[in-house]
Amino acid sequence: MKLHFENIVSFIAVVEEGSFSSAARKLGKSQSTVSTAVQNLESDLGFNLFNRQYSKVWLTEKGERLFQLSLPIVSKYRELVTIAKQMNISDQIVYRVGIDPLVFNKNVRNTLLAFSEEFPNVDLLVVTKPSFVLGNYINEGKIDLALGNPYHKTNNDFNIEELFHVNCWWVAHKDLASFKAHASLKRVLLMDGCEELLNLSNIASYNLWRLDDLETIIDLCNAQKGIAFLPGFLIESNVKENKLKVITDHPDFFGKRVIASLFWQLHSDFSLFNQWIKKELQTSVSYKQTFIADLAQ
């Protein structure tokens, strides 16, 4: 008896995916190709692997037994293919990613952790800078991909893939109830590079502090040293702990929405790594926007 390995792979995919059509999509083949592969396997074995009725299929007793025997072999084969691909592409490769701190939330961090597991032999360089700096880095060839706001003021064009929104708000310590009564409320704390998102003429009379670290800005705001402009994913925990309050009733301070996007050099290939990060971020189920009504509670 001679069993063709590709037929076994198709059989395993049908069992895992629950249907011939889903297995075909997973394998990147036509449904007829997968169906023929399973039929050929059954012919080589001399018994049916599936019970078939209308559009439903389920394993026979012998099919279940073969699945249990075949799965470890196919799993090892998949592992071999993955490692071989990594060996082929990752020799001395450094992948360079720039991330705007305004969009560097927990899901983005989790994506980087997953990247380290998927491509363990690739050297990863992560740069956290404002979007306008990342745009310059892309134009100069210093990074391969950026995640941030691609619509910053620039003379350069980029390939852009919009992914999710980040709501940014003005916040103050909850004990600073009166804007006019407290001198520190005349100080504005901004992440360097955020100016382009705001109408600075509204806050021209305020003392402006620009910093390059969001955690430091939060610390200063918690210490009642000024009003801070922060992304919702960072201030949410502080609001829940009753430390910070979102400003909703002042004529000079309005929330802004950042369109978090992947952007990369125009007329350049979208690499395997870029595609992987895009897919990982797109399939994340926890990108949920926090609305001001929730933050202001």
Side-chain angles (χ1 to χ4, degrees), residues 112-138:
L112 295 180
L113 293 175
F115 185 95
S116 69
E117 296 176 0
E118 184 73 15
F119 306 101
N121 299 319
V122 174
D123 292 336
L124 180 65
L125 172 66
V126 179
V127 178
T128 53
K129 296 289 183 180
S131 292
F132 77 92
V133 176
L134 299 181
N136 292 335
Y137 281 5
I138 287 177

Side-chain angles (χ1 to χ4, degrees), residues 67-180:
F67 174 72
Q68 297 299 331
L69 291 171
S70 304
L71 184 59
I73 300 172
V74 174
S75 296
K76 284 294 183 182
Y77 170 74
R78 291 169 176 168
E79 181 180 350
L80 173 62
V81 170
T82 299
I83 293 174
K85 286 181 179 179
Q86 293 172 356
M87 292 171 65
N88 183 49
I89 65 176
S90 63
D91 186 25
Q92 301 299 319
I93 282 183
V94 178
Y95 181 54
R96 306 161 301 172
V97 180
I99 305 176
D100 190 320
L102 287 181
V103 305
F104 204 158
N105 62 16
K106 181 176 66 174
N107 288 36
V108 176
R109 289 183 172 88
N110 289 341
T111 295
L112 295 180
L113 293 175
F115 185 95
S116 69
E117 296 176 0
E118 184 73 15
F119 306 101
N121 299 319
V122 174
D123 292 336
L124 180 65
L125 172 66
V126 179
V127 178
T128 53
K129 296 289 183 180
S131 292
F132 77 92
V133 176
L134 299 181
N136 292 335
Y137 281 5
I138 287 177
N139 190 52
E140 296 165 6
K142 292 182 178 180
I143 59 176
D144 304 301
L145 182 72
L147 176 63
N149 170 32
Y151 305 113
H152 57 272
K153 297 176 182 178
T154 178
N155 293 323
N156 302 315
D157 293 323
F158 307 103
N159 291 310
I160 297 172
E161 184 74 33
E162 295 183 358
L163 293 179
F164 58 96
H165 293 144
V166 174
N167 294 321
C168 298
W169 317 106
W170 288 98
V171 296
H173 193 280
K174 66 181 183 65
D175 291 339
L176 302 182
S178 173
F179 287 92
K180 296 181 180 180

Side-chain angles (χ1 to χ4, degrees), residues 14 39 233 266:
V14 173
Q39 290 173 4
F233 62 85
L266 203 62

Side-chain angles (χ1 to χ4, degrees), residues 185-188 202-208 227 250 252-253:
L185 283 171
K186 298 299 289 183
R187 182 181 299 122
V188 169
N202 288 349
I203 55 175
S205 61
Y206 293 79
N207 178 218
L208 179 59
I227 307 165
H250 194 282
D252 293 338
F253 301 101

